[in-house]
Amino acid sequence: MRLMLVTSILLPVLALPMAGSPSQGASQDLSPAMVALGDSVFHGKVGGALCYVCHGPAGKGVAGLGPDLTDREWLHGDGSVAFIAKLVTDGVMKPKKLPAPMPPRGGGNLTDAQIKAAAAYVYSLSRPKVG
Ligand code: HEC
């Protein structure tokens, strides 16, 4: 009796993550998984980039090294995910306010997918959390 009750409660719970995965392929650019990967990229846990060193662990900028990425002021473009991804790919050879350039791919060996994820993460920093 009791065992059956436990099983009937547990089974749907265990089935949930599996039911969720097929829809992931169809999700938007800013899926939570992508932002989470971008978080790891930003903090140098994957890809070897040093975003957090110049932009600060919370993205709020470091004096003399990198600008605040959490405000809505963009020095180099419109703040879209596409703009951020392109900027990260190319780096910033001629900074507008800071004395030293930003290296292409954040000084790391990022794949395009990691760059896109980092862009999604940076994009999310300057926007109020949805959901
Ligand atoms: C060596 C320091 C350094 C590293 C490492 C670095 N950046 Fe930057 N970043 C800069 C500088 C400098 C600028 C340009 C500031 C200026 O124009 O005055 C910049 C600009 C940017 C901008 C554009 C900001 C704007 O207002 O338009 C974004 C977005 C950005 N960085 C994201 C990243 C990401 C993501 C990474 C890691 C993949 C990264 N940066 C790694 C120094 C760095």
Side-chain angles (χ1 to χ4, degrees):
M1 253 314 245
R2 183 164 267 178
L3 187 66
M4 272 187 51
L5 191 67
V6 169
T7 327
S8 61
I9 293 170
L10 269 183
L11 269 183
V13 174
L14 290 175
L16 264 181
M18 285 184 260
S21 46
S23 63
Q24 266 180 19
S27 59
Q28 299 301 305
D29 282 349
L30 292 183
S31 71
M34 195 164 191
V35 173
L37 173 62
D39 189 324
S40 299
V41 171
F42 193 87
H43 294 98
K45 289 174 191 150
V46 291
L50 298 171
C51 324
Y52 70 104
V53 174
C54 294
H55 294 286
K60 292 205 171 286
V62 176
L65 285 180
D68 188 344
L69 301 176
T70 67
D71 58 16
R72 290 190 176 225
E73 187 201 347
W74 297 101
L75 300 166
H76 294 276
D78 62 6
S80 66
V81 175
F83 147 72
I84 298 171
K86 177 153 192 345
L87 180 136
V88 172
T89 305
D90 298 344
V92 182
M93 287 306 116
K94 292 190 178 132
K96 294 190 175 167
K97 290 190 177 170
L98 283 271
M102 168 171 154
R105 294 177 190 258
N109 196 14
L110 303 181
T111 65
D112 289 349
Q114 287 167 341
I115 287 180
K116 212 173 168 204
Y121 173 73
V122 168
Y123 178 90
S124 76
L125 288 179
S126 61
R127 303 235 163 12
K129 298 278 172 281
V130 185

